[in-house]
Amino acid sequence: MASGWRWGNFPIPGAHVLLIAIGVLLDAFWPLDLVLGGWAAVVGVLSIVVAAGLTTWATVAAGRVKLASPDRIVATGPYRASRHPMYVGWTLLYLGLIPILSSGWLIILFPLLAVWVHFESVKEEKRMLESFGPSYEEYQARVPRYLSLPRKRTQRPPDK
């Protein structure tokens, strides 16, 4: 883990904040309440706890690297499993708010969020490719953009 902490790396992603605010405002004027069981709020809280942990872990893993204009590739901590762990974390937070707020509007706005985050991720990756070239290509080949499910590793037969 990198030493130090760079507060500028703690993410406040505009897409998430804006769409959460729009969803809450729409709910205030035109409620679109979901009918969910009590378990849904528990799932929402758990999602938010995981989201907070993931974004904090990603911020700590980045350490002193300025993520807006990095001088090296961060490939430790959650960056070993996702090229964009902060976007994953904030999206989990957004999803966790849906059952807590019983917000149908947040569900309706979610596809817009997903497309927005994807385009932002692709733009960031283009900048990284321009800055780091083959090193970033290797990182892209090794680490999924968002998440991947664990895969069973197959063993190669021994060479004869």
Side-chain angles (χ1 to χ4, degrees):
M1 182 182 334
S3 63
W5 175 275
R6 188 174 187 87
W7 277 106
N9 282 343
F10 196 78
I12 309 280
H16 292 81
V17 172
L18 178 64
L19 291 175
I20 289 168
I22 289 171
V24 168
L25 282 172
L26 286 169
D27 270 331
F29 293 103
W30 299 284
L32 190 56
D33 293 337
L34 301 173
V35 179
L36 302 170
W39 60 268
V42 172
V43 170
V45 169
L46 288 174
S47 178
I48 290 171
V49 168
V50 170
L54 181 58
T55 55
T56 300
W57 186 24
T59 302
V60 170
R64 287 291 189 201
V65 173
K66 184 178 180 184
L67 293 178
S69 57
D71 58 354
R72 67 182 180 274
I73 298 167
V74 178
T76 59
Y79 292 94
R80 289 181 307 215
S82 171
R83 295 192 307 259
H84 302 281
M86 290 191 198
Y87 283 141
V88 172
W90 274 91
T91 301
L92 283 173
L93 181 137
Y94 181 100
L95 292 171
L97 287 175
I98 292 171
I100 290 171
L101 300 175
S102 294
S103 176
W105 287 111
L106 289 179
I107 290 175
I108 290 169
L109 293 170
F110 182 73
L112 178 60
L113 176 71
V115 168
W116 192 337
V117 166
H118 179 72
F119 281 112
E120 286 297 315
S121 298
V122 169
K123 274 189 349 190
E124 286 179 17
E125 290 183 10
K126 285 180 182 174
R127 285 194 307 267
M128 295 294 284
L129 276 169
E130 289 170 4
S131 297
F132 301 105
S135 296
Y136 193 74
E137 285 177 345
E138 186 275 325
Y139 177 67
Q140 283 181 305
R142 202 171 24 91
V143 177
R145 179 172 283 143
Y146 304 112
L147 290 175
S148 71
L149 298 174
R151 294 182 290 220
K152 182 179 176 184
R153 293 186 180 236
T154 57
Q155 285 187 334
R156 281 183 30 186
D159 293 330
K160 293 184 181 182

